[in-house]
């Protein structure tokens, strides 16, 4: 194994075990792929877990339509590289069908709407497990997630009635219509992910590294210029040297000013950073329990 | 659970030191050295200050980020609290913040230059004791919190019993809120001797005591100026340096087949790999192995991974075994050594911790998950329950309710391959699942 540190080898082994457990316990699984580094690492681990066979489930991208172009280019190349199958479901389709209503106003985002598209896809494809790249260190509601997280027939999470998860015995039993969310990276931290990406030489979308971009500074956030952003009268774009710490919907993923242009510099920057990566996400700032509420409703 | 493997790998791998790990301007770096991982859990009664202690460890080890700190500072001010309430860092769910208690297991991560830690912050309230069992099942070490004003409570006894049952060999007893008892040595010594009297009846190898004040940080990361009589280490120092003896069994070879890999491609036409995680012993290329339940013998042709074949596999490693002979193995089968086999039986005695409000039913049928095997069982007999305060057997009340610990006998629908829990945590543990609700209702440790 290539990993340089024991704790990364332990984490890798644990994640591979979890992924194999998913393939063995569930009928139809999808790996939720956003083009962000965490879902990239999960799909890479899936490649490892089943090699030399193909990954026995598809990658699924819930596309808000508000993407960074670099992410989509990367996504299509990556899927080929790991010899995987890709399903794309569009939030635009949910809007057209009248399933959801687009948010309006200056902070409008399609982030919340994704949940409906995701749950519709789960129902349509009869998925009984969705693998996600969420980590417990990201956010306080996520700190309480199980590896195998049960969802009722409405796709909802009930944090007060989670199944106890003991040893490495994962209980994936469910009734028809219910499903599981599975999080193989539960015990990884942001820094673990980056060190692993470095050790394994995993390619990443270019926007994770420093580049020049026109940005808007709003409420302490740096948002990338995009056709989806509505400017207020006194606002204007400025050119900044930035990179992204997380990748999501363009309208709510904030950039950080950074000159870190390669992986070593990124690791150095994170190690010295005093703000969490979700601190760059406008979607988490809506209220103190924003993530908990979205998770209960069926969010990633 | 990992330390043995860690030790073995140490000889193979060179630690990588990043430049950013260098300690400049007195800042503690966040990147851990490669000394490895320590998983521990915290337990205590309501209001013993567990969440505050964890908040303190995270804060003093500089693992709290500014935005997290700012958020809890704002909340503390809104609530009119004098100090920043560090418990808010771990009490993540809305109901917890409202009630000021920890409901569920929260996992926290922090690193110091010496070690990387995973903390399971487990609930103190009786209603959530099952989550303590969850949090402790993967831990090497337990921190048990005692409020210096209250001394040992029923919960302290219960938590210690579960810690011992779950096979944790190291306990650090933190006697907290010393500031509220005038930092008096007598209080500390009295609780300590009371605890020792109780715990001497249990199988706990290593118990250490620290007087702390989590709220102010005394003896957590920095030595307390208020308790000069205490000559021992701070909590963080102990956590960083404690030698966690190996929980892994490196003798008895056990490889449960988790998943069969058959690429069915031209390039790997004949590839048939048995993927799984080593549950005991050390497997080497060329070893003679026996497959259970068939008893068929074969030899390990290769131990494969994505990164290429390896010579040896240790407990906890996820690998793929290729055998010399074309024998038909499937999920749930196990590779072992011919002269060192696990028990293969249908009648099993075990200690069980009950995790559900629906009582255990003698004569009831449950689903089982044990290692990679699935089966059903019938509960034949409840032999006795344990009084968690006295550790005495209760033979006249055999109703096993939520949070009870009991010794039971089950019969399974097919033979399981198992070892005693004391010999191997991986092959000696099982969960019981209620067929009606699909919930995990019991945590079993095979005797």
């Amino acid at each position: 194994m290539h990993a340089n540190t024991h704790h990364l080898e332990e984490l890798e082994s644990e994640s591979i075990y979890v992924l194999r457990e998913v393939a063995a316990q569930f009928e139809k699984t999808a790996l939720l792929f956003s083009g962000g580094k965490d879902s990239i690492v999960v799909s890479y681990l899936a490649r490892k877990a089943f090699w030399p066979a193909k990954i026995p489930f598809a990658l699924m991208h819930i596309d808000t339509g508000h993407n960074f172009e670099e992410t989509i280019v990367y996504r299509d190349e990556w899927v080929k590289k790991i010899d995987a199958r890709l399903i794309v479901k569009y939030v635009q389709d949910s809007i057209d069908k009248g399933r959801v209503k687009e948010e309006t106003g200056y902070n409008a985002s399609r982030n919340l709407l994704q949940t409906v598209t995701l749950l519709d896809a789960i129902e349509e494809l009869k998925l009984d497990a969705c693998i996600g790249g969420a980590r417990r260190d990201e956010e306080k509601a996520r700190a309480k997630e199980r590896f195998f997280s049960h969802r009722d027939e409405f796709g909802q999470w009930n944090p007060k009635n989670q199944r106890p998860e003991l040893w490495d015995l994962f209980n994936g039993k469910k009734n028809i219509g219910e499903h599981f969310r599975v999080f193989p990276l539960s015990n990884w931290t942001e820094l673990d992910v980056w060190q692993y990406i470095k050790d394994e030489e995993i390619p990443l979308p270019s926007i994770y590294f420093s580049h020049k971009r026109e940005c808007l500074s709003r409420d302490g956030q740096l948002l990338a210029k995009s056709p989806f952003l509505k400017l207020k009268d006194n606002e204007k774009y400025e050119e900044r040297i930035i990179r992204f710490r997380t990748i999501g919907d363009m309208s709510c993923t904030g950039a950080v000013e950074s000159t870190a242009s390669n992986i070593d510099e990124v690791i150095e920057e994170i190690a010295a950073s005093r703000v969490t990566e979700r601190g760059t996400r406008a979607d988490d700032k809506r209220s103190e329990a924003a993530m908990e509420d979205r998770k209960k409703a069926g969010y990633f | 659970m990992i330390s043995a493997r860690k030790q073995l790998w140490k000889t193979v791998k060179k630690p990588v030191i990043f430049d950013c790990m260098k300690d400049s301007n007195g800042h503690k770096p966040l990147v851990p050295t490669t000394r490895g991982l320590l998983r521990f859990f915290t337990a205590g009664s309501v209001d013993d200050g567990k969440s505050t202690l964890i908040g303190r460890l995270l804060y003093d080890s500089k693992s709290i980020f500014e935005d997290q700190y700012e958020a809890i500072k704002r909340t503390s001010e809104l609530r009119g609290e004098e100090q920043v309430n560090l418990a808010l860092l771990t009490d993540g769910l809305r109901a917890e913040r409202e009630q000021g208690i920890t409901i569920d297991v929260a996992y926290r991560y922090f690193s110091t230059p010496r070690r990387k830690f995973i903390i399971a912050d487990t609930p103190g309230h009786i209603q959530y004791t099952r989550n303590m069992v969850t949090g402790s099942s993967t831990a090497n070490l337990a921190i048990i919190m005692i409020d210096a004003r209250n001394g040992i409570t029923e919960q302290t006894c219960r938590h210690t019993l579960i810690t011992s049952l779950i096979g944790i060999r190291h306990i650090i007893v933190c006697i907290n809120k010393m500031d509220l008892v005038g930092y008096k040595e007598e209080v500390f010594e009295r609780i300590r001797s009371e605890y020792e009297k109780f715990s001497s009846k249990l199988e706990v190898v290593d118990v250490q005591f620290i007087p702390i004040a989590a709220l102010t940080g005394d003896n957590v990361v920095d030595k307390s100026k208020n308790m000069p009589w205490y000559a021992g280490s701070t909590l963080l120092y102990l956590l960083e340096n404690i030698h966690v003896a190996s929980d892994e069994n490196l003798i008895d070879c056990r490889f449960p087949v988790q998943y069969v890999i058959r690429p069915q491609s031209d390039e790997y036409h004949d590839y048939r790999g048995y993927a799984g995680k080593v549950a005991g012993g050390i497997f080497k290329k060329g070893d003679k192995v026996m497959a259970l339940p068939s008893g068929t013998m074969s030899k390990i042709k290769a131990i494969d991974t994505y990164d290429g074949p390896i010579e040896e596999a240790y407990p906890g490693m996820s690998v793929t075994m290729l055998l010399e002979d074309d024998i038909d193995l499937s999920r749930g089968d196990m590779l072992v050594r011919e002269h060192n086999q696990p028990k293969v039986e249908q009648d099993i005695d075990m200690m069980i911790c009950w995790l559900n409000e629906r009582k255990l039913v003698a004569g009831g049928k449950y689903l089982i998950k044990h290692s990679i095997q699935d089966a059903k069982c019938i509960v034949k007999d409840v032999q006795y329950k344990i009084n968690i305060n006295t550790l005495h057997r209760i033979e006249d009340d055999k109703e096993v309710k939520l949070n009870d610990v009991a010794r039971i006998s089950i019969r399974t629908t097919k033979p399981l391959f198992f070892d005693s829990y004391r010999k191997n945590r991986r092959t000696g543990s099982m969960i019981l699942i209620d067929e009606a609700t699909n919930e995990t209702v019991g945590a079993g440790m095979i005797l």
Side-chain angles (χ1 to χ4, degrees):
Chain A
M1 299 191 187
H2 290 158
N4 275 318
T5 50
H6 339 279
H7 80 269
L8 286 181
E9 290 196 339
E10 289 174 35
L11 293 172
E12 179 191 69
S13 253
E14 180 178 81
S15 302
I16 287 176
Y17 174 82
V18 172
L19 286 161
R20 287 171 174 167
E21 224 25 43
V22 175
Q25 288 199 32
F26 297 100
E27 306 264 314
K28 201 166 176 206
T29 301
L31 192 158
L32 302 177
F33 187 84
S34 67
K37 65 182 188 315
D38 301 310
S39 60
I40 292 167
V41 167
V42 178
S43 55
Y44 177 80
L45 287 164
R47 180 73 177 128
K48 280 197 169 190
F50 302 102
W51 181 90
K54 289 187 184 186
I55 301 171
F57 36 76
L59 273 49
M60 182 161 80
H61 182 208
I62 303 297
D63 187 337
T64 62
H66 295 176
N67 302 299
F68 292 98
E69 201 193 322
E70 295 89 336
T71 313
I72 300 300
V73 171
Y74 174 92
R75 178 193 76 188
D76 295 337
E77 273 176 35
W78 177 249
V79 165
K80 269 187 232 146
K81 194 175 158 70
I82 61 170
D83 200 9
R85 203 157 52 84
L86 177 73
I87 300 169
V88 184
K89 292 287 173 190
Y90 299 93
V91 171
Q92 188 62 49
D93 289 347
S94 305
I95 295 169
D96 295 345
K97 279 186 215 151
R99 295 278 295 128
V100 290
K101 213 171 139 244
E102 188 117 47
E103 288 182 10
T104 53
Y106 290 108
N107 291 317
S109 160
R110 286 186 166 182
N111 184 60
L112 265 175
L113 311 186
Q114 291 179 91
T115 302
V116 174
T117 310
L118 171 63
L119 293 177
D120 285 353
I122 288 169
E123 209 173 309
E124 179 202 328
L125 301 169
K126 297 195 165 43
L127 299 176
D128 59 355
C130 289
I131 299 167
R135 308 184 319 267
R136 288 174 181 152
D137 81 321
E138 275 179 77
E139 205 278 338
K140 56 195 170 197
R142 287 198 158 150
K144 315 219 158 178
E145 263 293 7
R146 306 292 193 255
F147 278 94
F148 273 39
S149 184
H150 181 256
R151 294 292 186 276
D152 68 13
E153 66 267 47
F154 302 104
Q156 299 179 107
W157 180 56
N158 180 358
K160 284 178 98 167
N161 190 29
Q162 297 200 74
R163 293 178 186 177
E165 204 160 74
L166 296 119
W167 299 290
D168 48 15
L169 302 171
F170 297 116
N171 175 2
K173 302 268 184 233
K174 68 200 170 306
N175 292 319
I176 293 169
E178 298 174 346
H179 75 277
F180 273 80
R181 299 289 171 86
V182 181
F183 303 108
L185 300 186
S186 288
N187 280 332
W188 297 54
T189 61
E190 184 187 13
L191 206 48
D192 293 332
V193 169
W194 279 106
Q195 283 188 353
Y196 188 74
I197 288 169
K198 176 188 156 77
D199 288 353
E200 302 283 315
E201 297 174 355
I202 302 170
L204 286 184
S206 56
I207 60 173
Y208 274 116
F209 303 103
S210 179
H211 59 284
K212 256 192 220 159
R213 186 181 286 266
E214 284 199 87
C215 291
L216 169 68
S217 174
R218 177 187 285 173
D219 304 333
Q221 292 244 305
L222 267 184
L223 298 169
K225 180 177 181 180
S226 82
F228 320 112
L229 208 55
K230 234 199 258 175
L231 294 196
K232 295 177 193 168
D233 285 344
N234 57 347
E235 289 179 332
K236 64 175 200 298
Y237 290 117
E238 284 170 80
E239 197 172 76
R240 305 276 189 107
I241 308 286
I242 55 119
R243 62 175 208 90
F244 293 90
R245 270 176 91 180
T246 68
I247 294 181
D249 186 289
M250 272 190 109
S251 59
C252 67
T253 305
V256 288
E257 288 194 90
S258 166
T259 55
S261 57
N262 60 46
I263 193 125
D264 289 314
E265 288 170 11
V266 168
I267 289 176
E268 192 165 341
E269 186 183 282
I270 293 162
S273 168
R274 304 303 307 151
V275 179
T276 61
E277 58 181 339
R278 294 215 72 96
T280 62
R281 295 289 284 257
D283 43 340
D284 288 341
K285 292 204 165 159
R286 292 191 169 189
S287 85
E288 197 174 0
M291 176 65 92
E292 182 184 348
D293 293 340
R294 280 181 296 156
K295 279 181 66 67
K296 279 181 180 163
Y299 186 69
F300 296 94
Chain B
M1 218 185 260
I2 305 95
S3 56
R5 207 168 98 235
K6 210 158 63 194
Q7 301 265 315
L8 286 159
W9 282 351
K10 209 176 263 176
T11 57
V12 193
K13 305 285 175 192
K14 274 210 184 113
V16 170
I17 311 283
F18 293 106
D19 277 335
C20 51
M21 287 169 64
K22 285 176 191 157
D23 203 325
S24 58
N25 60 34
H27 233 259
K28 273 187 188 164
L30 292 160
V31 185
T33 65
T34 50
R35 191 170 169 137
L37 197 61
L38 180 74
R39 296 178 198 236
F40 67 92
F41 79 99
T42 52
S45 309
V46 183
D47 294 335
D48 278 349
K50 288 185 316 294
S51 296
T52 309
L53 174 68
I54 291 171
R56 177 56 65 186
L57 278 171
L58 298 177
Y59 183 71
D60 287 356
S61 66
K62 300 193 170 56
S63 306
I64 288 178
F65 294 104
E66 273 167 16
D67 54 332
Q68 292 173 319
Y69 186 74
E70 287 304 317
I72 63 163
K73 197 172 146 196
R74 269 199 309 275
T75 311
S76 304
E77 281 165 6
L78 278 175
R79 291 165 151 208
E81 293 177 27
E82 274 175 33
Q83 277 164 310
V84 175
N85 187 347
L86 293 172
L88 293 171
L89 275 171
T90 57
D91 294 341
L93 303 173
R94 195 194 296 270
E96 293 175 330
R97 283 192 303 275
E98 283 161 4
Q99 295 165 34
I101 55 164
T102 309
I103 289 172
D104 197 28
V105 189
Y107 293 92
R108 293 287 156 190
Y109 304 83
F110 77 101
S111 301
T112 70
R114 303 195 75 111
R115 234 178 193 168
K116 178 182 168 95
F117 301 93
I118 300 181
I119 318 171
D121 179 17
T122 59
H125 197 274
I126 189 159
Q127 183 186 352
Y128 300 107
T129 299
R130 64 173 195 167
N131 288 327
M132 196 200 102
V133 175
T134 303
S136 61
S137 68
T138 50
N140 309 102
L141 179 145
I143 291 182
I144 291 190
M145 304 285 294
I146 296 177
D147 186 328
R149 294 169 304 173
N150 305 333
I152 291 171
T153 63
E154 187 177 305
Q155 285 279 309
T156 314
C157 299
R158 183 198 298 272
H159 295 162
T160 306
L161 174 70
I162 291 170
T163 302
S164 141
L165 252 184
I166 216 99
I168 288 167
R169 296 180 178 133
H170 305 272
I171 294 181
I172 299 177
V173 180
C174 285
I175 298 169
N176 191 24
K177 305 196 184 178
M178 288 301 291
D179 50 326
L180 300 182
V181 295
Y183 302 105
K184 281 198 197 102
E185 188 177 6
E186 305 91 82
V187 179
F188 173 73
E189 288 301 336
R190 180 173 48 74
I191 295 172
R192 175 194 181 129
S193 68
E194 250 181 79
Y195 188 92
E196 278 174 339
K197 217 168 99 192
F198 164 77
S199 67
S200 61
K201 299 174 213 162
L202 297 168
E203 275 180 63
V204 183
V205 179
D206 170 27
V207 186
Q208 311 211 39
F209 298 84
I210 308 181
I212 64 165
L215 199 62
T216 50
D218 291 65
N219 284 338
V220 178
V221 171
D222 299 313
K223 269 199 93 87
S224 168
K225 293 189 181 77
N226 297 311
M227 290 175 274
W229 48 265
Y230 173 70
S233 322
T234 63
L235 176 62
L236 186 64
Y237 183 87
L238 215 56
L239 290 172
E240 284 180 326
N241 293 287
I242 206 159
H243 180 72
V244 181
S246 166
D247 287 358
E248 294 289 1
N249 180 324
L250 296 170
I251 308 295
D252 309 303
C253 288
R254 309 284 183 255
F255 185 80
V257 175
Q258 185 186 8
Y259 190 83
V260 182
I261 294 177
R262 300 204 60 184
Q264 287 161 329
S265 61
D266 292 341
E267 197 186 342
Y268 295 98
H269 189 71
D270 295 321
Y271 192 98
R272 191 180 176 87
Y274 301 110
K277 192 163 75 174
V278 178
I282 302 164
F283 286 86
K284 295 190 184 73
K285 183 184 166 184
D287 279 354
K288 264 177 85 178
V289 287
M290 182 188 209
L292 293 175
S294 67
T296 317
M297 297 296 299
S298 188
K299 234 172 154 179
I300 298 174
K301 185 161 81 182
I303 303 174
D304 213 3
T305 74
Y306 174 85
D307 301 304
I310 54 173
E311 292 298 312
E312 302 176 322
Y314 303 104
M317 285 172 78
S318 287
V319 295
T320 302
M321 299 281 188
L322 301 177
L323 300 180
E324 293 278 1
D325 308 279
D326 194 10
I327 56 175
D328 189 26
L329 295 183
S330 51
R331 177 173 163 90
D333 293 355
M334 191 184 265
L335 295 176
V336 299
R337 290 260 161 74
E338 188 183 4
H339 300 294
N340 179 346
Q341 295 182 29
K343 288 185 196 154
V344 184
E345 283 166 27
Q346 280 175 273
D347 290 295
I348 299 170
D349 275 13
M350 61 185 178
M351 299 304 294
I352 192 140
C353 179
W354 202 248
L355 311 171
N356 203 270
E357 312 230 320
R358 281 161 63 117
K359 287 174 234 164
L360 173 101
V361 182
K365 291 183 181 127
Y366 295 92
L367 298 168
I368 289 177
K369 266 196 188 293
H370 163 258
S371 178
I372 296 300
Q373 291 174 289
D374 281 336
K376 281 188 189 183
C377 77
I378 181 163
V379 177
K380 282 183 7 197
D381 186 30
V382 177
Q383 294 169 24
Y384 54 82
K385 289 205 298 184
I386 289 180
N387 179 320
I388 52 121
N389 295 320
T390 60
L391 302 179
H392 289 156
R393 293 177 184 187
I394 306 168
E395 318 229 7
D396 52 348
D397 168 19
K398 294 189 175 174
E399 204 176 60
V400 182
K401 300 185 293 285
L402 177 65
N403 298 321
D404 277 346
V405 174
R407 177 175 170 150
I408 64 169
S409 312
I410 60 168
R411 182 169 173 83
T412 57
T413 45
K414 63 175 188 190
L416 299 185
F417 323 129
F418 62 90
D419 296 288
S420 72
Y421 187 77
R422 278 168 76 184
K423 206 167 146 190
N424 189 330
R425 236 169 147 181
R426 295 180 191 273
T427 54
S429 53
M430 70 164 74
I431 54 172
L432 264 53
I433 298 165
D434 188 323
E435 278 188 282
T437 63
N438 291 327
E439 286 176 314
T440 303
V441 292
M445 287 139 284
I446 300 172
L447 290 163

